[in-house]
Amino acid sequence: MKKLALIIIAGISFATAHAQFQFGAKAGVNLTNLSDAQGYSARTQASFNLGVFFKMPVARGLAVQPELYYSGQGDKFLDGTGGSGADHINYFNVPILLKFAHHSGFYVETGPQFGFLVSAKTTYQDVTTDIKDQINSTDFAWVFGFGYKIPMSPVGIDFRYNAGLSNIANDNGPSVHNNVFQFGLTYVLFSSGRK
């Protein structure tokens, strides 16, 4: 048993020593809306995301990539009288992604994402109201994405859909979920190990 444990530890140490850990920054555009359990979907609004990532290889072509980023979310809406408004719900999101990469630079990624509410406001007819007490302080989503890391370059392009799975509404009404499409650029700031 001790020999097996030593072999496993040695294998992990060897893989770690020869892995290419990467730390980088990411930024992009969000296209977001909110949907409820009754099928209602609000109009899409544009916002942005900005953060950092840390890529940890676990096998050839396979890596785990935790991230921390600020994400502007919410929706636009119309009422029955022709009035319009927008909900601005902002999070710090922490996705933990499993990333499958091809040597050509293309990759796919998926995994859970935990969101922590920063602020929530609604604007209607030029009047802004704080609605943070109406929104749950945490959000849970599942991420589906693909992208392209330019070979021999620190730059990559990333496309994602974050499917909100938890109810963000802090009331007794219909469940409300975040829907977020993201387009962004990534930039590797630091890389260690083999290229």
Side-chain angles (χ1 to χ4, degrees):
M1 187 68 174
K2 289 182 179 178
K3 288 183 179 179
L4 178 60
L6 288 173
I7 291 171
I8 293 172
I9 292 171
I12 292 172
S13 299
F14 179 81
T16 301
H18 291 78
Q20 184 185 1
F21 293 90
Q22 294 181 344
F23 174 76
K26 54 172 290 182
V29 174
N30 288 348
L31 297 176
T32 75
N33 70 15
L34 303 175
S35 61
D36 67 24
Q38 298 176 341
Y40 170 78
S41 181
R43 296 171 62 197
T44 299
Q45 76 168 345
S47 190
F48 73 95
N49 63 80
L50 178 66
V52 294
F53 65 87
F54 184 63
K55 181 181 174 185
M56 301 179 292
V58 294
R60 186 174 182 85
L62 180 64
V64 174
Q65 182 168 298
E67 301 179 356
L68 171 64
Y69 71 94
Y70 179 87
S71 181
Q73 299 176 196
D75 65 358
K76 291 182 178 180
F77 59 84
L78 295 172
D79 65 17
T81 65
S84 63
D87 297 311
H88 303 280
I89 306 173
N90 303 309
Y91 293 89
F92 278 120
N93 286 334
V94 183
I96 302 173
L97 304 177
L98 195 59
K99 198 164 191 169
F100 303 88
H102 187 263
H103 62 80
S104 64
F106 289 98
Y107 61 84
V108 294
E109 57 194 0
T110 190
Q113 176 175 275
F114 306 91
F116 302 92
L117 184 65
V118 176
S119 64
K121 296 180 180 180
T122 188
T123 300
Y124 178 70
Q125 295 184 342
D126 298 324
V127 177
T128 299
T129 305
D130 193 305
I131 58 169
K132 191 173 181 179
D133 62 343
Q134 300 175 34
I135 306 296
N136 285 320
S137 60
T138 58
D139 181 39
F140 180 72
W142 198 269
V143 178
F144 303 91
F146 66 95
Y148 179 68
K149 166 72 168 53
I150 301 172
M152 305 303 292
S153 165
V155 178
I157 303 170
D158 198 58
F159 300 89
R160 290 184 188 173
Y161 172 59
N162 302 337
L165 300 178
S166 63
N167 178 20
I168 67 168
N170 188 18
D171 58 29
N172 295 321
S175 295
V176 179
H177 301 272
N178 282 302
N179 300 296
V180 183
F181 289 92
Q182 294 182 324
F183 165 75
L185 297 177
T186 61
Y187 191 93
V188 176
L189 298 170
F190 173 79
S191 180
S192 67
R194 70 183 180 210
K195 302 297 183 183

mmCIF file of all heavy atoms in Angstrom, residues 10 23 40 45 47 51 65 76 78 81 84 101 106 116 140 160 171:
data_model
loop_
_atom_site.group_PDB
_atom_site.id
_atom_site.type_symbol
_atom_site.label_atom_id
_atom_site.label_comp_id
_atom_site.label_asym_id
_atom_site.label_seq_id
_atom_site.Cartn_x
_atom_site.Cartn_y
_atom_site.Cartn_z
ATOM 1 N N ALA A 10 4.767 10.186 -6.680
ATOM 2 C CA ALA A 10 5.855 10.449 -7.624
ATOM 3 C C ALA A 10 5.307 10.815 -8.999
ATOM 4 O O ALA A 10 5.825 11.720 -9.666
ATOM 5 C CB ALA A 10 6.766 9.226 -7.728
ATOM 6 N N PHE A 23 -1.195 31.528 -16.120
ATOM 7 C CA PHE A 23 -1.993 32.551 -15.449
ATOM 8 C C PHE A 23 -2.252 33.646 -16.467
ATOM 9 O O PHE A 23 -1.347 34.082 -17.179
ATOM 10 C CB PHE A 23 -1.245 33.122 -14.238
ATOM 11 C CG PHE A 23 -1.967 34.281 -13.603
ATOM 12 C CD1 PHE A 23 -3.079 34.074 -12.799
ATOM 13 C CD2 PHE A 23 -1.540 35.581 -13.836
ATOM 14 C CE1 PHE A 23 -3.750 35.147 -12.217
ATOM 15 C CE2 PHE A 23 -2.206 36.658 -13.264
ATOM 16 C CZ PHE A 23 -3.308 36.438 -12.452
ATOM 17 N N TYR A 40 -41.248 32.900 -19.836
ATOM 18 C CA TYR A 40 -41.030 34.298 -20.197
ATOM 19 C C TYR A 40 -39.542 34.578 -20.295
ATOM 20 O O TYR A 40 -38.758 34.180 -19.440
ATOM 21 C CB TYR A 40 -41.648 35.229 -19.154
ATOM 22 C CG TYR A 40 -41.264 36.680 -19.345
ATOM 23 C CD1 TYR A 40 -41.883 37.450 -20.323
ATOM 24 C CD2 TYR A 40 -40.273 37.254 -18.563
ATOM 25 C CE1 TYR A 40 -41.523 38.772 -20.510
ATOM 26 C CE2 TYR A 40 -39.908 38.585 -18.745
ATOM 27 C CZ TYR A 40 -40.534 39.344 -19.719
ATOM 28 O OH TYR A 40 -40.170 40.640 -19.895
ATOM 29 N N GLN A 45 -29.700 42.423 -23.140
ATOM 30 C CA GLN A 45 -28.905 43.636 -23.015
ATOM 31 C C GLN A 45 -27.424 43.272 -23.085
ATOM 32 O O GLN A 45 -27.035 42.141 -22.805
ATOM 33 C CB GLN A 45 -29.212 44.385 -21.718
ATOM 34 C CG GLN A 45 -28.627 43.785 -20.459
ATOM 35 C CD GLN A 45 -28.747 44.746 -19.283
ATOM 36 O OE1 GLN A 45 -28.999 45.932 -19.445
ATOM 37 N NE2 GLN A 45 -28.573 44.232 -18.082
ATOM 38 N N SER A 47 -23.445 43.859 -21.911
ATOM 39 C CA SER A 47 -22.615 44.309 -20.797
ATOM 40 C C SER A 47 -21.210 43.779 -21.028
ATOM 41 O O SER A 47 -20.830 43.514 -22.167
ATOM 42 C CB SER A 47 -23.204 43.834 -19.465
ATOM 43 O OG SER A 47 -22.531 44.461 -18.389
ATOM 44 N N GLY A 51 -11.693 39.603 -15.941
ATOM 45 C CA GLY A 51 -11.161 38.818 -14.839
ATOM 46 C C GLY A 51 -9.857 38.123 -15.158
ATOM 47 O O GLY A 51 -9.133 38.502 -16.089
ATOM 48 N N GLN A 65 -9.382 24.647 -15.277
ATOM 49 C CA GLN A 65 -9.169 26.095 -15.337
ATOM 50 C C GLN A 65 -10.152 26.831 -14.420
ATOM 51 O O GLN A 65 -11.271 27.132 -14.808
ATOM 52 C CB GLN A 65 -9.312 26.608 -16.775
ATOM 53 C CG GLN A 65 -9.042 28.103 -16.913
ATOM 54 C CD GLN A 65 -8.911 28.528 -18.348
ATOM 55 O OE1 GLN A 65 -8.011 28.071 -19.067
ATOM 56 N NE2 GLN A 65 -9.789 29.410 -18.795
ATOM 57 N N LYS A 76 -33.294 43.739 -20.376
ATOM 58 C CA LYS A 76 -34.121 44.907 -20.693
ATOM 59 C C LYS A 76 -35.570 44.428 -20.729
ATOM 60 O O LYS A 76 -35.832 43.253 -20.999
ATOM 61 C CB LYS A 76 -33.734 45.499 -22.051
ATOM 62 C CG LYS A 76 -32.370 46.162 -22.069
ATOM 63 C CD LYS A 76 -32.094 46.768 -23.442
ATOM 64 C CE LYS A 76 -30.755 47.489 -23.468
ATOM 65 N NZ LYS A 76 -30.474 48.074 -24.807
ATOM 66 N N LEU A 78 -40.012 45.642 -21.355
ATOM 67 C CA LEU A 78 -41.098 46.561 -21.707
ATOM 68 C C LEU A 78 -42.297 46.243 -20.823
ATOM 69 O O LEU A 78 -42.555 45.080 -20.522
ATOM 70 C CB LEU A 78 -41.492 46.389 -23.177
ATOM 71 C CG LEU A 78 -40.449 46.745 -24.239
ATOM 72 C CD1 LEU A 78 -40.960 46.331 -25.615
ATOM 73 C CD2 LEU A 78 -40.155 48.234 -24.217
ATOM 74 N N THR A 81 -47.612 49.385 -20.925
ATOM 75 C CA THR A 81 -47.973 50.747 -21.331
ATOM 76 C C THR A 81 -46.952 51.358 -22.286
ATOM 77 O O THR A 81 -47.050 52.540 -22.605
ATOM 78 C CB THR A 81 -48.104 51.649 -20.090
ATOM 79 O OG1 THR A 81 -46.823 51.765 -19.454
ATOM 80 C CG2 THR A 81 -49.095 51.067 -19.101
ATOM 81 N N SER A 84 -40.205 51.356 -20.814
ATOM 82 C CA SER A 84 -39.088 50.419 -20.904
ATOM 83 C C SER A 84 -38.140 50.618 -19.733
ATOM 84 O O SER A 84 -38.114 51.673 -19.095
ATOM 85 C CB SER A 84 -38.334 50.600 -22.224
ATOM 86 O OG SER A 84 -37.758 51.893 -22.292
ATOM 87 N N ALA A 101 -8.251 20.399 -25.042
ATOM 88 C CA ALA A 101 -7.603 21.180 -26.099
ATOM 89 C C ALA A 101 -6.969 20.260 -27.146
ATOM 90 O O ALA A 101 -6.403 19.210 -26.825
ATOM 91 C CB ALA A 101 -6.548 22.099 -25.504
ATOM 92 N N PHE A 106 -7.605 24.677 -31.001
ATOM 93 C CA PHE A 106 -9.036 24.680 -30.695
ATOM 94 C C PHE A 106 -9.296 23.916 -29.391
ATOM 95 O O PHE A 106 -8.595 22.951 -29.074
ATOM 96 C CB PHE A 106 -9.832 24.049 -31.836
ATOM 97 C CG PHE A 106 -9.885 24.901 -33.072
ATOM 98 C CD1 PHE A 106 -9.013 24.658 -34.131
ATOM 99 C CD2 PHE A 106 -10.786 25.946 -33.170
ATOM 100 C CE1 PHE A 106 -9.048 25.447 -35.277
ATOM 101 C CE2 PHE A 106 -10.834 26.739 -34.307
ATOM 102 C CZ PHE A 106 -9.953 26.495 -35.362
ATOM 103 N N PHE A 116 -21.442 35.297 -7.107
ATOM 104 C CA PHE A 116 -21.643 36.018 -5.858
ATOM 105 C C PHE A 116 -22.087 37.444 -6.192
ATOM 106 O O PHE A 116 -21.358 38.190 -6.857
ATOM 107 C CB PHE A 116 -20.354 36.017 -5.038
ATOM 108 C CG PHE A 116 -19.870 34.620 -4.730
ATOM 109 C CD1 PHE A 116 -18.963 33.981 -5.579
ATOM 110 C CD2 PHE A 116 -20.358 33.937 -3.628
ATOM 111 C CE1 PHE A 116 -18.536 32.685 -5.320
ATOM 112 C CE2 PHE A 116 -19.935 32.643 -3.362
ATOM 113 C CZ PHE A 116 -19.024 32.009 -4.204
ATOM 114 N N PHE A 140 -25.921 29.821 -9.301
ATOM 115 C CA PHE A 140 -25.227 28.636 -9.782
ATOM 116 C C PHE A 140 -25.572 28.444 -11.252
ATOM 117 O O PHE A 140 -26.744 28.509 -11.638
ATOM 118 C CB PHE A 140 -25.616 27.393 -8.986
ATOM 119 C CG PHE A 140 -24.935 26.148 -9.454
ATOM 120 C CD1 PHE A 140 -23.584 25.938 -9.214
ATOM 121 C CD2 PHE A 140 -25.633 25.170 -10.149
ATOM 122 C CE1 PHE A 140 -22.941 24.790 -9.647
ATOM 123 C CE2 PHE A 140 -25.007 24.018 -10.587
ATOM 124 C CZ PHE A 140 -23.654 23.827 -10.331
ATOM 125 N N ARG A 160 -18.781 31.443 -24.947
ATOM 126 C CA ARG A 160 -19.412 30.654 -23.893
ATOM 127 C C ARG A 160 -20.909 30.932 -23.777
ATOM 128 O O ARG A 160 -21.373 32.011 -24.114
ATOM 129 C CB ARG A 160 -18.796 30.986 -22.521
ATOM 130 C CG ARG A 160 -17.400 30.506 -22.332
ATOM 131 C CD ARG A 160 -16.932 30.805 -20.932
ATOM 132 N NE ARG A 160 -15.521 30.509 -20.802
ATOM 133 C CZ ARG A 160 -14.802 30.800 -19.734
ATOM 134 N NH1 ARG A 160 -15.373 31.402 -18.707
ATOM 135 N NH2 ARG A 160 -13.531 30.496 -19.689
ATOM 136 N N ASP A 171 -38.050 35.914 -3.717
ATOM 137 C CA ASP A 171 -39.464 36.141 -3.381
ATOM 138 C C ASP A 171 -40.247 34.867 -3.674
ATOM 139 O O ASP A 171 -39.675 33.824 -3.978
ATOM 140 C CB ASP A 171 -40.035 37.337 -4.148
ATOM 141 C CG ASP A 171 -39.925 37.179 -5.665
ATOM 142 O OD1 ASP A 171 -39.933 36.018 -6.155
ATOM 143 O OD2 ASP A 171 -39.828 38.192 -6.372
#
